[in-house]
Amino acid sequence: MSFDRKIKIAPSILAADFANFGQECEAVEAQGADWVHVDVMDGHFVPNITFGPATCAAIRPHIKGVMDVHLMIAPVDPSIEAFAKAGADVITAHVEAGPHIHRTLQAIRASGAKAGLALNPGTPASAAEPLLDLVDLVCVMTVNPGFGGQKFIDMGDKIKALRAMIGDRPVHIEIDGGVDVTTAPLVAGAGADVLVAGSAVFKGGSVSDPEVYGRNIRAIRAAAEGVYV
Ligand code: DX5
Ligand code: ZN
């Protein structure tokens, strides 16, 4: 996985057909997705349950590019190896998920995956500062995690602060929650390069009508690229 700061659209399969993940992943990639974002929820760290490493392993052969696994679980450490073995390219853990995020990030890198650090809307940018040399990605949540389809919370100042803090480090800024054609310019303009979008990509389409995914992805990308700094 090489580093660049071009705009990347990462459809979240939380908004896909859960009975058809393999084909859904293939469809969004064929329609222009850069990464595939996989939301793991445990009913404890967040009030919703999705799936675990076995499902990630089953999805993996259907993704040619980057499998971006967002862990909304606590504790994180006992499961890192399983998600790495399932083929995650990026494993993102929440700073709020436990007292030892530094150790968690070390363990993710030791597993061979790229390490992501997610910040909930209530967590300041400064929480990431001591960790920036340990991460490959900072994920700024623009909703409170747990569900797709929620209203976007403006985190523009936090994104700008992180962009400045990151400097020349090869660290992506990812935005997760409520990204669509209206909000994409706000986050790209503040310096984000990876845009996760669930509802805004999958709405109106299906594996039998995948061109809709392509139109949705292109619209979000165009909205973001128009203002990217
Ligand atoms: C929220 C998840 C998101 C979610 C985004 O807890 O982490 O990845 O799927 O969905 P939308 O784009 O519908 O807000
Ligand atoms: Zn997510």
Coordinates of all heavy atoms in Angstrom, one line a residue, residues 12 14 37 39 41 70 72 141 143-150 176-179 196-200, ligand 1:
S12 N -18.5 2.7 2.6 CA -18.7 1.8 3.8 C -19.7 0.8 3.5 O -20.9 1.1 3.2 CB -19.1 2.7 5.0 OG -19.6 1.9 6.0
L14 N -21.3 -0.8 5.5 CA -22.4 -0.8 6.4 C -23.7 -0.4 5.7 O -24.8 -0.8 6.2 CB -22.1 0.3 7.5 CG -23.0 0.4 8.7 CD1 -22.9 -0.9 9.5 CD2 -22.6 1.5 9.6
H37 N -14.3 0.4 3.0 CA -14.3 0.6 4.4 C -15.3 -0.4 5.1 O -16.4 -0.5 4.7 CB -14.8 2.1 4.6 CG -14.8 2.5 6.0 ND1 -13.7 3.0 6.7 CD2 -15.8 2.6 7.0 CE1 -13.9 3.4 7.9 NE2 -15.2 3.1 8.1
D39 N -16.9 -1.7 8.6 CA -17.2 -1.2 10.0 C -17.5 -2.4 10.9 O -18.5 -3.0 10.8 CB -18.4 -0.3 9.9 CG -18.1 1.1 9.4 OD1 -17.1 1.7 9.9 OD2 -18.8 1.6 8.5
M41 N -18.5 -3.5 14.6 CA -19.1 -2.9 15.8 C -19.5 -4.1 16.8 O -19.9 -5.1 16.4 CB -20.4 -2.2 15.5 CG -20.2 -1.1 14.5 SD -21.7 -0.2 14.2 CE -21.2 0.9 12.9
H70 N -12.4 -0.6 10.2 CA -12.6 0.4 11.3 C -13.2 -0.3 12.5 O -14.3 -0.8 12.5 CB -13.6 1.4 10.8 CG -14.0 2.5 11.8 ND1 -15.1 3.4 11.5 CD2 -13.5 2.8 13.0 CE1 -15.2 4.2 12.6 NE2 -14.3 3.9 13.4
M72 N -14.8 -0.5 15.9 CA -15.5 0.2 16.9 C -15.8 -0.9 18.0 O -17.0 -1.3 18.2 CB -16.8 0.8 16.3 CG -16.5 2.0 15.5 SD -17.8 2.4 14.3 CE -17.4 1.3 13.0
M141 N -14.0 11.3 13.1 CA -15.5 11.0 13.0 C -16.3 12.2 12.9 O -16.2 13.1 13.8 CB -15.9 10.2 14.3 CG -15.2 8.8 14.4 SD -15.5 7.6 13.1 CE -17.3 7.5 13.0
V143 N -19.6 11.8 12.8 CA -20.9 11.4 13.5 C -20.4 10.7 14.7 O -19.2 10.3 14.8 CB -21.8 10.5 12.7 CG1 -22.3 11.1 11.4 CG2 -21.0 9.2 12.3
N144 N -21.3 10.5 15.7 CA -20.9 9.6 16.8 C -21.1 8.1 16.2 O -22.1 7.8 15.7 CB -21.9 9.8 18.0 CG -21.5 11.1 18.7 OD1 -20.4 11.3 19.2 ND2 -22.4 12.1 18.6
P145 N -20.0 7.3 16.4 CA -20.0 6.0 15.7 C -21.1 5.1 16.2 O -21.6 5.2 17.3 CB -18.6 5.5 16.0 CG -18.2 6.2 17.3 CD -18.8 7.5 17.2
G146 N -21.5 4.2 15.3 CA -22.5 3.2 15.7 C -23.5 2.9 14.6 O -24.0 1.8 14.5
F147 N -23.8 4.0 13.8 CA -24.9 3.8 12.8 C -24.5 4.6 11.5 O -23.9 5.6 11.6 CB -26.2 4.3 13.3 CG -26.6 3.6 14.6 CD1 -26.4 4.2 15.8 CD2 -27.3 2.4 14.6 CE1 -26.7 3.6 17.0 CE2 -27.6 1.7 15.7 CZ -27.3 2.3 17.0
G148 N -25.0 4.1 10.4 CA -24.9 4.8 9.1 C -26.1 5.8 9.0 O -27.0 5.8 9.9
G149 N -26.0 6.7 8.1 CA -27.1 7.6 7.8 C -27.3 8.7 8.8 O -28.4 9.3 8.8
Q150 N -26.3 9.0 9.6 CA -26.6 10.1 10.6 C -26.2 11.4 10.0 O -25.4 11.5 9.0 CB -25.7 9.8 11.9 CG -26.0 8.5 12.6 CD -25.2 8.4 13.8 OE1 -25.5 8.9 14.9 NE2 -24.1 7.7 13.7
D176 N -15.2 10.2 8.5 CA -16.2 9.1 8.5 C -17.5 9.6 9.1 O -17.5 9.9 10.3 CB -15.6 7.9 9.3 CG -16.4 6.7 9.2 OD1 -17.4 6.7 8.4 OD2 -16.1 5.7 9.8
G177 N -18.5 9.6 8.3 CA -19.9 9.9 8.8 C -20.5 11.1 8.1 O -20.0 12.2 8.2
G178 N -21.6 10.8 7.5 CA -22.4 11.9 6.9 C -21.7 12.6 5.7 O -22.1 13.7 5.3
V179 N -20.7 11.9 5.0 CA -20.1 12.5 3.9 C -21.0 12.3 2.7 O -21.4 11.2 2.3 CB -18.7 11.9 3.6 CG1 -18.1 12.4 2.3 CG2 -17.8 12.1 4.8
V196 N -14.8 8.5 3.7 CA -15.7 7.3 3.8 C -17.1 7.8 3.5 O -17.5 8.8 4.0 CB -15.6 6.8 5.2 CG1 -16.6 5.6 5.5 CG2 -14.2 6.3 5.6
A197 N -17.9 7.0 2.8 CA -19.3 7.3 2.5 C -20.1 6.0 2.4 O -19.7 5.2 1.6 CB -19.4 8.2 1.3
G198 N -21.1 5.9 3.2 CA -21.9 4.7 3.2 C -23.2 5.0 2.4 O -23.3 4.7 1.2
S199 N -24.1 5.7 3.1 CA -25.4 6.0 2.4 C -25.3 6.7 1.1 O -26.0 6.4 0.1 CB -26.3 6.9 3.4 OG -26.0 6.6 4.7
A200 N -24.4 7.7 1.1 CA -24.3 8.5 -0.1 C -23.7 7.8 -1.3 O -23.9 8.2 -2.5 CB -23.4 9.7 0.1
Ligands
DX5_1 C1 -20.4 5.0 11.6 C2 -19.5 4.3 10.6 C3 -19.4 4.8 9.3 C4 -20.8 4.8 8.6 C5 -20.8 6.0 7.6 O1 -20.3 4.5 12.8 O2 -18.2 4.2 11.1 O3 -18.4 4.3 8.5 O4 -20.9 3.6 7.8 O5 -22.1 5.9 7.1 P1 -22.7 7.2 6.4 O6 -21.9 7.6 5.3 O7 -24.1 6.7 6.0 O8 -22.8 8.3 7.5

